[in-house]
Amino acid sequence: MEYPKTVEELYETLKAFKEKDANGNGDSTDEIPVSGDTNASWYLAVMSAFGMPVSDTAYGLMLSDGTVTLAQTTENYQAYLTYMNRLYSEGLYDEAALVQNSDEFVAKARDGWVGTFGAAAPFVTLGQDASVDAGYMALGGLTSEWNATGAFPLAAGVSSGVKLLVKADTAYPEAIVRLIDYFYTDDGILMAAKGTEKSVKMEENPFDASYQQAITFIPDGEEDNYDSAEAYRYKKAIINEGFNVIKSMEGSEYSFVDSASDELLASEEVAKTYGWSVLMERRIRETGTVDVMPALLYQESEANRRNTLYTDISNYIRQAAAQFISGELDPETDYESYLNTLKQMKLEELIQIEQAAYDRMY
C-alpha cells in the first residue's frame, strides 16, 4: 500500500494490518494495527491531521491571530474523538492502549504484533540497533476535511522538563558551573548523549567524508549484560540528550542528515545507519512543517495558580478522552457536557494565565 496521505487512507491502512496477516505468520487475527501506552505520541500525528498541531495530547495550546486557545475544546477535537472511537469500535485500536504502561506495550511490539505506534524511535521500542528503523515510515503530515494542508508539527527544543538543582550552601559553585558548561562542548555532548569514553568512537561518515559520526559500542567485558549498543547507551549516557544540544555539533551525524541531498536521504543504507532521524527528515521534507505553541514562562503568582488548575484540568481531559474513544461517552451527544465540566473547573481562568504569559513574552 502507498503511504497514507489522509486520515481516511490511514484508516484503510490500519484495516489492512488487521485483516491481511501483516506479520506474515499465517494468522490474520493476531495483528494490532495501533498500540502504545497512555502517552503514545502517535496521537499527535492524528490530532495534527484534524487541524490541531500541538505537542501535548491532554493540554494542547494553539494560537489564532495571537489568541491562545485549547485544542481540546474545539470542534476539531470533537471530530478527532469521533475518528478515534471509530478505530476503537472496529478493533483497529488496541483497547489496552488506554490503560497499559510502557513495559506492557513494548512487550507487544517486540513480539511483532503492532503495525503502528508512537515512540522515540522504532529501534528503542524494539530493543534492536538503528538499522531496524529502515523498515518503518514516520507518520505525519496527514490531511482531513478539517485540515487541507498536511504539515509536520515542529516543537521547539526548549523544555521546562530538565532542571538543574544546586544546593545553596555548596562550597563548589564554580566547579558545578564548569561541569554544566562541559556538557555544551563537543566532548561533553558526546558523553551526555552517546555513552562513556569506553563506548564511543568517532569515525568518518561513510556517505560524506566531510562529516564525522559518533559510534556507540558495548565495551569489552560488558557484552553479556546488554542486548545492544543502544541498550548500553540508554543506561550509561550521562544525561541521555537531556540538554538537547547534540544537533549543534558541527559535522555531527544529525547535521549530516539535515543537509543530505534528497537522493542520499532516500537510500536504505543511510536509513539503516542513522535510523529515526532519517525517517523524520524524509517526512518533514515531504510535508513541510508548522510551528507549535512555544514554551511559556510564568510569574510566581501565575505559576502557583496555574499548577493547581492545569493538573486538575489536564487529568480530566485525559480521562474524558479515554471515555470518548472507548465509547463510554458519545463524542456527539456528550461533548457539550464535557465542555461545561471544563468551564466549571475554571478553564477560562487558566487560559487567561496562558494568554498573559504569551502577551508578555511575545
Side-chain angles (χ1 to χ4, degrees):
M1 299 180 73
E2 295 291 327
Y3 172 82
K5 299 293 181 63
T6 69
V7 292
E8 196 60 29
E9 290 177 5
L10 175 61
Y11 166 77
E12 294 296 337
T13 303
L14 299 180
K15 279 189 68 176
F17 283 164
K18 179 176 175 60
E19 297 171 356
K20 298 185 178 181
D21 189 25
N23 63 12
N25 67 352
D27 182 354
S28 61
T29 65
D30 64 354
E31 284 78 13
I32 302 173
V34 174
S35 189
D37 58 29
T38 53
N39 295 313
S41 55
W42 87 275
Y43 296 106
L44 298 175
V46 183
M47 291 183 70
S48 178
F50 279 88
M52 297 173 288
V54 295
S55 56
D56 191 322
T57 58
Y59 188 75
L61 295 177
M62 302 194 304
L63 279 175
S64 177
D65 296 326
T67 300
V68 178
T69 60
L70 183 66
Q72 286 81 359
T73 61
T74 62
E75 291 183 353
N76 304 57
Y77 186 65
Q78 183 180 17
Y80 157 80
L81 293 174
T82 300
Y83 177 83
M84 293 292 295
N85 173 253
R86 177 188 181 192
L87 300 186
Y88 184 95
S89 63
E90 295 187 23
L92 306 180
Y93 178 89
D94 184 6
E95 295 182 10
L98 297 172
V99 295
Q100 69 190 355
N101 61 34
S102 178
D103 291 340
E104 291 168 325
F105 154 64
V106 165
K108 294 177 180 179
R110 292 187 178 183
D111 282 341
W113 294 348
V114 182
T116 308
F117 57 87
F123 77 94
V124 175
T125 294
L126 300 174
Q128 302 178 36
D129 63 42
S131 65
V132 74
D133 287 6
Y136 287 81
M137 300 182 78
L139 181 65
L142 305 180
T143 61
S144 71
E145 62 179 295
W146 296 88
N147 174 46
T149 305
F152 204 97
L154 192 65
V158 177
S159 170
S160 61
V162 178
K163 297 179 174 63
L164 297 163
L165 304 180
V166 180
K167 292 185 67 174
D169 60 353
T170 180
Y172 308 101
E174 295 88 353
I176 291 171
V177 172
R178 285 198 301 272
L179 176 63
I180 295 168
D181 280 347
Y182 169 71
F183 289 117
Y184 287 87
T185 66
D186 283 357
D187 284 347
I189 289 170
L190 285 176
M191 293 306 103
K194 290 293 184 180
T196 67
E197 292 178 355
K198 297 178 180 179
S199 67
V200 177
K201 60 183 177 182
M202 298 302 294
E203 291 184 352
E204 184 179 283
N205 186 299
F207 308 102
D208 187 335
S210 62
Y211 288 92
Q212 294 280 304
Q213 61 184 13
I215 302 298
T216 303
F217 57 93
I218 304 175
D220 293 341
E222 295 274 12
E223 294 88 351
D224 293 339
N225 298 326
Y226 299 92
D227 294 333
S228 66
E230 166 58 22
Y232 181 87
R233 185 203 69 80
Y234 189 78
K235 292 290 186 182
K236 295 293 186 177
I238 299 172
I239 304 177
N240 196 25
E241 301 193 38
F243 288 158
N244 206 19
V245 293
I246 194 166
K247 280 198 172 189
S248 69
M249 283 183 66
E250 185 176 350
S252 73
E253 62 193 82
Y254 293 100
S255 57
F256 161 71
V257 169
D258 289 345
S259 60
S261 67
D262 290 345
E263 181 181 5
L264 195 54
L265 202 67
S267 161
E268 184 176 3
E269 285 306 309
V270 171
K272 285 183 176 180
T273 303
Y274 299 110
W276 68 271
S277 58
V278 172
L279 309 186
M280 297 289 286
E281 183 65 19
R282 286 174 178 172
R283 181 63 50 230
I284 286 171
R285 291 190 189 184
E286 289 181 13
T287 64
T289 62
V290 59
D291 290 342
V292 304
M293 182 75 178
L296 301 177
L297 297 174
Y298 306 95
Q299 296 175 344
E300 184 174 358
S301 59
E302 293 174 331
N304 292 335
R305 180 59 175 159
R306 180 187 181 275
N307 287 345
T308 299
L309 294 173
Y310 166 81
T311 300
D312 292 342
I313 286 173
S314 61
N315 284 341
Y316 171 67
I317 291 173
R318 190 175 290 108
Q319 171 193 325
Q323 292 175 309
F324 280 121
I325 292 171
S326 67
E328 184 178 342
L329 293 176
D330 187 317
E332 297 300 320
T333 60
D334 293 320
Y335 196 69
E336 193 64 34
S337 176
Y338 155 78
L339 294 179
N340 287 335
T341 300
L342 287 174
K343 185 176 182 179
Q344 293 168 11
M345 297 178 75
K346 301 188 183 303
L347 174 62
E348 185 177 350
E349 180 184 352
L350 178 56
I351 296 302
Q352 287 174 350
I353 293 173
E354 308 288 11
Q355 185 73 59
Y358 176 81
D359 291 343
R360 188 168 54 248
M361 294 176 67
Y362 297 99

